[in-house]
Amino acid sequence: VKIRVLGSAAGGGFPQWNCGCANCSAARAGSANVRARTQESVAISADGDSWFLLNASPEVRAQIESFPPLHPRATRHSPIAGVVLTNGDLDHCLGLLCLREWQPLRVYATAAVRDGFMDDNALARTLQRFDGQLHWLPLVLGQATPLLRADGSASGLTLEAVAAPGKLPLHLEASRAESAEDNIGLWVRQEGSPHALAYFPGVGAYRPYVFAVLERAAACFFDGTFWSSDELIRLELGGKRAEDMAHWPVGGADGSLQRLGGLAQVARRILIHVNNTNPLLREDSPEHTALRAAGVELAYDGLELEL
Amino acid sequence: VKIRVLGSAAGGGFPQWNCGCANCSAARAGSANVRARTQESVAISADGDSWFLLNASPEVRAQIESFPPLHPRATRHSPIAGVVLTNGDLDHCLGLLCLREWQPLRVYATAAVRDGFMDDNALARTLQRFDGQLHWLPLVLGQATPLLRADGSASGLTLEAVAAPGKLPLHLEASRAESAEDNIGLWVRQEGSPHALAYFPGVGAYRPYVFAVLERAAACFFDGTFWSSDELIRLELGGKRAEDMAHWPVGGADGSLQRLGGLAQVARRILIHVNNTNPLLREDSPEHTALRAAGVELAYDGLELEL
């Protein structure tokens, strides 16, 4: 599997438009120890020809331009054969509305995520300009789904949706019932390869069954949103704890780093969906040093790997 | 009035994600005669302290980062005191959904544009996380509206909405009734200054009353979407004529350039909202030469002027 990180920040990006915290200020000042990041999205491909986006960030246009294999190869064309959604958060879905201009689009998502996006959403009609423009393919928990090339043939990649502790998107909390399908991780395999990718950008808490998946992967991306539970509270940026937003903090005795550090058999363990306030974003921070000491990496825009 | 062009392309930007036309290919190749452009949005300010966005493009995050006066000046802050919408097209409105993260937001729009965005739109609830987060202020045709600083005081700028020939956004065509408020131009004045700005990024046809407004301006931005009526048809990129999309072509005997060229009393006449297929984007094209010969400019991202 060819993998390219298009964006590695949580919703709002880094720096965030209305944030002047130390991290955001350092990024704007061009500090050598801090890299700006767009919002989380990863491109994957079996053959380097057909590509799939894991989540469609609001910044998808710039992200496509940043990676030449995603550029069109004809007057009207896109090598992007499909988009996979891990939940209905706006930082994962808003980019769908930018992938219009009369281009057919396959979107892989659970029924809950699909309905959360399509119900009560007149904006989505921009993707329904002709019959078949928007084609939803269902992800069912625990069931393998082949990713298709634009011509409908098998791309060589299959994925399986794994329920992950999460929550409804903020804008749907009052209107929809919760479901185990609201937030998923992905188990991605390439035909003929023993090496799997686990993609879990949002994980609200420790679950043994999630780690039973991770430990079989050759590489995993994992929720790196917050370092600590009270990160926003201490910066006086809001009254919510990380867990209230369904993000398991990385740091501390009960943090995800303790668990991820133990997965030495997973060659690449990479944090993604990093919030602008996370001290990991400063590469000279003690938190970043602790991360590297545990054998865990921090995703950045442009990171590539191949399994 | 201080004016900064944040983005100058039509919907889809330049290059456009699924377009490999000669223009887009040249932009990707870094041709010296072609500049990449983000989607149309302009920032204005009376004092350089409080700023207002004319339209909120999907690329608003990168556009804010590109212009330091729009950066926050405290841990939670934005110098953006409001957003003005000229119509409900997604390339003008989608950016509103990126201006969240618990920041109050004033949006100035006609009732038709406001309702077109808010009705049947669960995504907009991301801007309703607390009472007063999203505050719509009505623009009424022919009536002056003061633009307010964040603290509610007068910013020194007033604007007046002028009906412009247009149409409903594509995604609302089937569901809403047409109104003269669907598409407007803006007449922007600064207190104490004799110099006005006219902002008309979408104009579907010639109207004497629009030109009666333009001719009194010190600077005007005008619809530069298409050079010719059959631009997309000739490139085999769609069956629609420019006029079907409510954009008056720039070129030809009946084009807007003939009219704009006659407005020699308007010191700056600037085309904006330029589609990726428009030959004006090639600065060595005969069309671009004709534009300059008529005393008309082409907006680019980063262009600044002051009236």
Side-chain angles (χ1 to χ4, degrees), chain A residues 3 5 196-200 211 213-224 250 256-272 280 288 290-300 303 305 307:
Chain A
I3 301 164
V5 174
L197 166 70
Y199 192 75
F200 284 79
F211 274 71
V213 171
L214 296 180
E215 68 185 18
R216 294 183 290 121
C220 74
F221 286 86
F222 198 83
D223 186 335
V250 174
S256 60
L257 185 57
Q258 292 296 327
R259 299 280 181 179
L260 292 168
L263 294 180
Q265 69 273 40
V266 182
R268 305 288 298 267
R269 288 157 285 168
I270 306 169
L271 296 183
I272 198 164
L280 286 172
H288 195 96
L291 187 80
R292 301 310 300 256
V296 178
E297 306 170 56
L298 192 66
Y300 55 87
L303 173 66
L305 54 156
L307 306 182

Side-chain angles (χ1 to χ4, degrees), chain B residues 203-289:
Chain B
V203 180
Y206 174 67
R207 290 289 184 278
Y209 70 85
V210 168
F211 274 71
V213 171
L214 296 180
E215 69 184 17
R216 294 183 290 119
C220 74
F221 287 85
F222 198 83
D223 185 336
T225 313
F226 296 111
W227 176 260
S228 56
S229 181
D230 59 352
E231 194 167 303
L232 295 184
I233 297 167
R234 276 188 288 134
L235 289 167
E236 300 184 354
L237 295 178
K240 288 200 178 180
R241 301 178 72 81
E243 294 85 349
D244 297 335
M245 293 174 275
H247 294 294
W248 180 19
V250 174
D254 298 323
S256 61
L257 185 57
Q258 291 296 327
R259 298 280 181 177
L260 292 168
L263 294 180
Q265 69 272 41
V266 182
R268 305 287 297 267
R269 288 157 283 167
I270 306 169
L271 297 183
I272 198 165
H273 193 269
V274 187
N275 198 57
N276 62 297
T277 51
N278 192 325
L280 286 171
L281 289 167
R282 294 192 302 273
E283 293 175 15
D284 56 350
S285 66
E287 293 85 352
H288 195 96
T289 303

Side-chain angles (χ1 to χ4, degrees), chain A residues 12 15-20 28 59 61 65 71-72 74-77 101 103 120 122 125 129 170-171 175, chain B residues 12 15-20 28 59 61 65 71-72 74-77 101 103 120 122 125 129 170-171 175:
Chain A
Q16 180 178 300
W17 77 288
N18 65 339
C19 189
R28 290 194 180 99
E59 304 176 89
R61 193 185 88 83
E65 292 306 323
H71 295 176
T75 311
R76 264 298 175 275
H77 174 260
E101 282 97 20
Q103 188 75 29
D120 191 19
R125 279 185 231 131
R129 300 182 187 189
L170 196 60
H171 64 281
S175 59
Chain B
Q16 180 178 300
W17 76 288
N18 65 339
C19 189
R28 291 195 180 99
E59 303 175 270
R61 194 185 88 84
E65 292 306 322
H71 295 176
T75 311
R76 265 298 175 273
H77 173 261
E101 282 98 21
Q103 187 76 29
D120 191 19
R125 279 185 232 132
R129 300 181 187 190
L170 196 60
H171 64 281
S175 60

Side-chain angles (χ1 to χ4, degrees), chain A residues 11 19 102 118 127 133 146 158 162 172 195 205 245 259:
Chain A
C19 189
W102 307 93
M118 295 300 289
L127 299 172
Q133 181 178 4
T158 59
V162 180
L172 298 179
H195 305 302
M245 291 174 276
R259 299 280 181 179

Side-chain angles (χ1 to χ4, degrees), chain A residues 11-21 28 37-39 58-59 61 64-65 70-72 74-78 80 90-91 94 97-103 105 117 119-123 125-126 129 170-172 175 235 237 240, chain B residues 11-21 28 37-39 58-59 61 64-65 70-72 74-78 80 90-91 94 97-103 105 117 119-123 125-126 129 170-172 175 235 237 240:
Chain A
F14 177 59
Q16 180 178 300
W17 77 288
N18 65 339
C19 189
C21 75
R28 290 194 180 99
R37 286 164 163 91
T38 61
Q39 293 164 84
E59 304 176 89
R61 193 185 88 83
I64 289 170
E65 292 306 323
L70 299 183
H71 295 176
T75 311
R76 264 298 175 275
H77 174 260
S78 173
I80 300 171
L90 285 187
D91 58 315
L94 216 46
L97 299 175
C98 300
L99 300 178
R100 40 199 186 111
E101 282 97 20
W102 307 93
Q103 188 75 29
L105 191 64
F117 185 76
D119 291 353
D120 191 19
N121 183 3
L123 308 185
R125 279 185 231 131
T126 197
R129 300 182 187 189
L170 196 60
H171 64 281
L172 298 179
S175 59
L235 289 168
L237 295 178
K240 288 199 179 180
Chain B
F14 177 58
Q16 180 178 300
W17 76 288
N18 65 339
C19 189
C21 74
R28 291 195 180 99
R37 286 164 161 91
T38 62
Q39 293 164 85
E59 303 175 270
R61 194 185 88 84
I64 289 170
E65 292 306 322
L70 299 183
H71 295 176
T75 311
R76 265 298 175 273
H77 173 261
S78 174
I80 300 171
L90 285 187
D91 58 314
L94 217 46
L97 299 175
C98 300
L99 300 177
R100 41 198 185 112
E101 282 98 21
W102 307 93
Q103 187 76 29
L105 191 65
F117 184 76
D119 291 353
D120 191 19
N121 182 4
L123 308 185
R125 279 185 232 132
T126 197
R129 300 181 187 190
L170 196 60
H171 64 281
L172 298 179
S175 60
L235 289 167
L237 295 178
K240 288 200 178 180

